[in-house]
Amino acid sequence: MHGALERGEFVAYFQPKQRLADGSIGGAEALVRWIDPVRGLVPPDDFVPYFERNGFIINVDLCVFEQVCALLASWIEQGRQPVPISVNMSRAHLREQDFLTPYEQIRARYGVPASLIEFELTETLVFGDPETFMGVIDLLHARGYRCSLDDFGSGYSSLGTLQNLPIDVLKLDRSFLMSSESGERCKAILDGVVSIADKLAVNVVVEGVETRDQASMLVRMDDRIIAQGFLYSRPVPRDVSDAQFAVGFIEPNERP
Ligand code: C2E
Ligand code: CA
Ligand code: CA
């Protein structure tokens, strides 16, 4: 894994986030892939859990972060209007004192404003330790980053978390959308969570939007929702992503 890191085999892919109101691209999420010369493209589920256990995920996350800074810096240099990009932060970082310092060093090297970067944190990151979680968010905010709560609705998520955490963005897990199709009660819960987030002035991103029906249900709920999913684009390599952002809009593409 150290050799793979040195050879640049951990590559950030980008998945756009679409504003439902006008269809414009409002941001992107960076998602790592291991491009192995023998195995080909290895998806994160095959190595991230293992690297979380041995701590190597810290290096991978920083490597993805650097690729994000490089992309943002290139947009700024070309005079293009940059959109915020989010990165996933593993809980392993929190075991380190000053976990933010290496991030800050990379960002300083590329001269990218922190306001263009969002950290995606999962609730399980500090499950049972909300004070640490709060401290992390305060620290990230103090340095100018945005924070999102990832995978909301997939596990332990509770309304109590929403009450206490000063997050900027709530990312509703794919399972939320799937269950909302199975009946009015589930849909009512989704609708309720969206309006609670709105009242708390928290932006909502819905993950796993795959069909036009899902997108139109969401836009009827609240047209400020930001959608992320295969309907717009799968995660793509940097050059493809660059082209998507140059256009600023992706035509929904539903596969049968
Ligand atoms: P995640 O953070 O919840 O990322 C969203 C996952 O949903 C991505 O899977 C994405 O490809 C997938 N997805 C997006 N739209 C759709 C859709 O419409 N339908 C379906 N079925 N799936 C959709 P991916 O890229 O395989 O990543 C899996 C997980 O691996 C991520 O879940 C995240 O937890 C982790 N991961 C990915 N990159 C990184 C990273 O750089 N650092 C860390 N620490 N974890 C990462
Ligand atoms: Ca994520
Ligand atoms: Ca997620």
Side-chain angles (χ1 to χ4, degrees), residues 15 29 32-33 44-45 61 88 150-151 174 208 210 229-230 235:
Q15 186 177 33
E29 176 177 7
V32 70
R33 268 84 183 108
D45 286 339
D61 281 354
N88 292 283
D150 200 1
D151 301 340
R174 202 159 68 83
E210 293 183 350
F230 295 167

Side-chain angles (χ1 to χ4, degrees), residues 29-31 86-89 120-122 148 150-151 171 207 228:
E29 176 177 7
L31 293 153
S86 61
V87 292
N88 292 283
M89 183 190 266
E120 298 199 0
L121 310 159
T122 59
S148 59
D150 200 1
D151 301 340
K171 292 196 76 178
E207 295 188 301
Q228 182 180 348

